[in-house]
Amino acid sequence: MKLRTIISIFLTAASLVANAQSRGERVYISTDRQIYIAGENIRCSAYCIGNDGRLSNFSMTAYLELHSSSGMAANGRAALLGGRGCAEIEIPRSLPTGNYSLMAYTKVGLMRENCNPAAGSRIITIINPYGSERVDNGVKIVDAGAYAAIRAAQPETAGNISASLDGVKRAGSTMAVQLTNNGSSEASLDVSIVRMDGIAEPDNRGMAGFLDADAKGPALAGAMTPDYEGEVINARVAGIPESEVGMMEGRIAFISAPGDKSDVYSSTIAADGTMSFYTSNINGNKDLICEIEDKLEGSPAHIEIVSPFVNVNPGEIPVLPLCEGMRSDILARSMAAQLSASFASETISDYLQIRPSLLFSGQCRSYVLDDYTRFPTMEEVMVEFIPELRIRKGDEGKRQINVLVNDSYKNPEFSQGTALTLVDGVPIFDYEQILAYDPLLVQTVDIYTSRFFIGARYYDGIVNFVTYAHNLPSMKFTPDVRVVSFKGTALPGILNGMSIDSENGPDYRQTAFWHPLVKLKAGESDSYEFHVPGVPGDYLLKIEGMDSQGNPIFATQKITITK
């Protein structure tokens, strides 16, 4: 049975790779605006487009790279669902002034010819007012006349989306933008409202230009497992000589993120020391706990995460023209960026629903420890009032925790196999650490009484000790355990300013409204409220996207906001 399962998994993975190589995917990125101050976030909306020119539902993760002519400056991930997703890329405050190329791809696209991520990439202008550094050979100084003559190429209006605005067009007021799909096909869109000024935007041809761009070129990667359920995180064994790596073959490795019980994944280490964790996408920036189960005592072997970014060649990036007349606009943008950072007005988002994890969807019995008499150790807590848990010695004389699970006939029985014990979603393999843990740190004990497969590992029940802090307080790890900062897929969010209290601080946001994932059926209308920033002037409403037939959509509308 075990052999048939392994062969089945192998054949499934092989067929997925073959299927992915026969496909092709390109990723178009739209952004809330095209000009940023160093230190701000680039808000991105991703469109994963298949060979047929329509949204692809195969890949679940897209990878974004921001490049100057000197190399990759920043990156990010977008979780995809039905070919759509969003991301945020934090611009390092130290980046020099210049134009940058923003590209995106999926692993499926990397394996296929003629899916060059640089084709139709988005040009982003980044201005760093905090220093004098500029991208090498990437900036030219022009006079006021030449600068005034610059006119960025804009995409042509396309599609059948109309927009109307409700409310008083006054700084600090609340307005609503109503979108209507007048076409005969479902539309997938992103919508932004951004304050305009005298800084010239870079040329970007939009969705239509992206679809028409010549993406010819060789495949950028060999065979790899596509992200068909979420990101496949690759890792390798490090810390030991190459000659000893083979000794780790067959051992189980884990990655997990504190605070979320669903972010725990396992993989079997291969003979060459590599492993792959099949995730459902890890959302947000988190610390990953990387550990190996039943590792040889005293071995310095540990897990090292392999970067999925391939460092795409962006090709030629246009030079950024600057002139003395831009000084006041740059100063205004810089002040707005700093005030927004100080009062967090650019980071307050209303988050959209994310794809749920089904790992811990089984029956759960939860014990809130504040409802019971407190005891000095977790061992006493389990013995006194948690009948679903039992402490027994295993075959090697070491104590282990058994869970009362349901057998194949739904009859409850204590398991003889291994239960997975977690603290804040992180596996703890030394049961003695759990038994001696301070229960005053623990808020709840969640017990899952089913049998689970996590990667290649089988468990008779799961126990999760959830602390008040959700970050494993006072838990000590062995030196081989690695804690890695991981930038996961961005949480999808709407920036509308509705949570901002203007009375407690100024609202100088450059982006008044941003929604990366608007979907409208044929003939459908929807309305979205937003708080108008406290700066009067001209704002630009931009609608971009595509319909279900693969036709591009683009529309703009100028809005004048008074005091």
Side-chain angles (χ1 to χ4, degrees):
M1 178 66 181
K2 182 177 180 182
L3 179 60
R4 288 201 301 270
T5 301
I6 292 173
I7 292 174
S8 175
I9 292 172
F10 176 78
L11 292 176
T12 301
S15 64
L16 280 168
V17 173
N19 187 15
Q21 288 177 313
S22 67
R23 295 170 176 264
E25 288 178 342
R26 297 176 62 211
V27 181
Y28 174 70
I29 297 295
S30 178
T31 55
D32 63 328
R33 44 196 161 105
Q34 300 185 81
I35 303 170
Y36 297 87
I37 296 295
E40 292 186 305
N41 286 351
I42 303 174
R43 296 180 184 84
C44 308
S45 182
Y47 297 79
C48 182
I49 302 168
N51 285 339
D52 59 358
R54 303 181 184 185
L55 293 174
S56 169
N57 61 2
F58 189 75
S59 292
M60 289 291 182
T61 311
Y63 302 90
L64 289 73
E65 296 184 5
L66 181 70
H67 280 255
S68 71
S69 56
S70 302
M72 185 162 56
N75 54 52
R77 295 170 170 86
L80 300 175
L81 189 60
R84 293 285 280 114
C86 59
E88 284 195 17
I89 297 178
E90 184 178 349
I91 303 172
R93 194 179 172 93
S94 59
L95 275 195
T97 296
N99 278 336
Y100 291 76
S101 176
L102 179 58
M103 303 170 286
Y105 51 84
T106 64
K107 291 177 182 175
V108 169
L110 292 178
M111 290 187 283
R112 180 69 184 259
E113 294 180 350
N114 304 327
C115 291
N116 182 8
S121 63
R122 178 168 288 269
I123 302 301
I124 299 293
T125 295
I126 296 176
I127 298 173
N128 192 332
Y130 315 116
S132 59
E133 290 189 9
R134 299 168 182 172
V135 171
D136 292 340
N137 302 315
V139 174
K140 66 176 180 180
I141 306 300
V142 299
D143 59 33
Y147 193 81
I150 296 173
R151 293 291 183 269
Q154 290 291 333
E156 295 182 0
T157 300
N160 292 295
I161 303 295
S162 61
S164 60
L165 290 157
D166 298 326
V168 179
K169 298 176 182 178
R170 187 176 64 243
S173 66
T174 297
M175 298 183 64
V177 55
Q178 179 168 309
L179 306 176
T180 303
N181 183 0
N182 302 305
S184 57
S185 302
E186 184 176 82
S188 186
L189 314 166
D190 62 85
V191 182
S192 65
I193 300 176
V194 176
R195 188 166 73 251
M196 303 167 65
D197 57 20
I199 302 178
E201 294 187 337
D203 286 344
N204 281 304
R205 296 179 56 205
M207 177 73 76
F210 176 83
L211 295 174
D212 293 339
D214 183 3
K216 290 182 179 179
L220 297 181
M224 60 174 66
T225 306
D227 301 317
Y228 63 95
E229 287 187 344
E231 182 179 0
V232 179
I233 298 177
N234 295 310
R236 58 175 171 250
V237 173
I240 57 177
E242 189 173 344
S243 59
E244 298 179 12
V245 168
M247 299 172 61
M248 306 301 295
E249 181 181 5
R251 299 184 186 276
I252 305 298
F254 283 83
I255 60 171
S256 54
D260 193 333
K261 62 192 177 188
S262 65
D263 280 340
V264 53
Y265 305 96
S266 74
S267 177
T268 303
I269 300 175
D272 62 355
T274 61
M275 65 211 81
S276 297
F277 299 94
Y278 292 77
T279 78
S280 56
N281 280 326
I282 297 175
N283 299 299
N285 297 337
K286 295 184 177 180
D287 288 335
L288 284 189
I289 310 296
C290 307
E291 49 191 330
I292 301 173
E293 186 182 25
D294 295 330
K295 186 177 62 63
L296 296 176
E297 188 174 350
S299 171
H302 58 269
I303 299 173
E304 188 175 86
I305 302 294
V306 177
S307 172
F309 299 99
V310 297
N311 205 0
V312 176
N313 182 355
E316 185 177 353
I317 300 175
V319 172
L320 173 65
L322 296 177
C323 81
E324 179 64 27
M326 298 170 58
R327 183 183 297 272
S328 60
D329 286 328
I330 291 176
L331 181 61
R333 280 185 180 251
S334 172
M335 185 178 298
Q338 293 179 69
L339 287 171
S340 295
S342 298
F343 292 96
S345 58
E346 286 266 11
T347 60
I348 298 176
S349 298
D350 291 340
Y351 290 106
L352 302 170
Q353 187 174 2
I354 61 175
R355 185 164 61 106
S357 172
L358 301 179
L359 174 60
F360 291 86
S361 57
Q363 183 179 0
C364 174
R365 175 68 190 273
S366 185
Y367 287 86
V368 181
L369 298 196
D370 281 342
D371 295 342
Y372 300 87
T373 301
R374 287 290 191 172
F375 291 91
T377 65
M378 283 307 307
E379 178 179 1
E380 292 176 280
V381 170
M382 286 185 270
V383 169
E384 292 296 334
F385 59 80
I386 305 184
E388 291 86 358
L389 300 180
R390 184 179 70 176
I391 303 169
R392 288 291 186 273
K393 284 188 177 182
D395 295 337
E396 298 178 358
K398 294 182 179 180
R399 292 195 297 176
Q400 63 184 29
I401 299 173
N402 299 137
V403 176
L404 189 68
V405 298
N406 295 320
D407 63 16
S408 56
Y409 298 100
K410 304 297 182 181
N411 297 318
E413 64 175 5
F414 276 104
S415 64
Q416 300 301 313
T418 302
L420 178 63
T421 56
L422 311 171
V423 175
D424 290 332
V426 175
I428 304 297
F429 302 119
D430 185 353
Y431 289 112
E432 293 299 333
Q433 278 191 286
I434 297 291
L435 298 176
Y437 198 60
D438 185 355
L440 293 178
L441 301 174
V442 178
Q443 184 177 20
T444 64
V445 178
D446 298 334
I447 304 169
Y448 298 84
T449 57
S450 301
R451 291 183 164 94
F452 291 86
F453 274 98
I454 299 180
R457 199 71 163 80
Y458 171 81
Y459 291 100
D460 284 329
I462 297 176
V463 189
N464 189 25
F465 299 87
V466 182
T467 71
Y468 291 97
H470 300 288
N471 61 4
L472 294 90
S474 300
M475 183 61 66
K476 295 181 180 180
F477 292 103
T478 54
D480 59 284
V481 176
R482 291 294 186 270
V483 181
V484 179
S485 295
F486 185 82
K487 293 194 297 184
T489 53
L491 294 169
I494 305 169
L495 179 68
N496 55 22
M498 296 300 291
S499 301
I500 296 173
D501 185 357
S502 299
E503 295 182 359
N504 293 333
D507 180 10
Y508 283 2
R509 287 172 295 131
Q510 196 77 27
T511 301
F513 177 76
W514 167 248
H515 195 316
L517 299 171
V518 173
K519 184 177 289 187
L520 293 175
K521 296 179 181 178
E524 184 181 15
S525 295
D526 208 348
S527 183
Y528 306 93
E529 280 192 328
F530 66 97
H531 182 76
V532 181
V535 183
D538 291 334
Y539 288 71
L540 185 69
L541 165 64
K542 177 177 72 83
I543 303 167
E544 191 165 15
M546 67 189 311
D547 65 22
S548 58
Q549 303 304 310
N551 300 308
I553 295 171
F554 186 83
T556 60
Q557 181 179 328
K558 190 169 82 169
I559 308 167
T560 300
I561 301 297
T562 61
K563 290 184 178 180

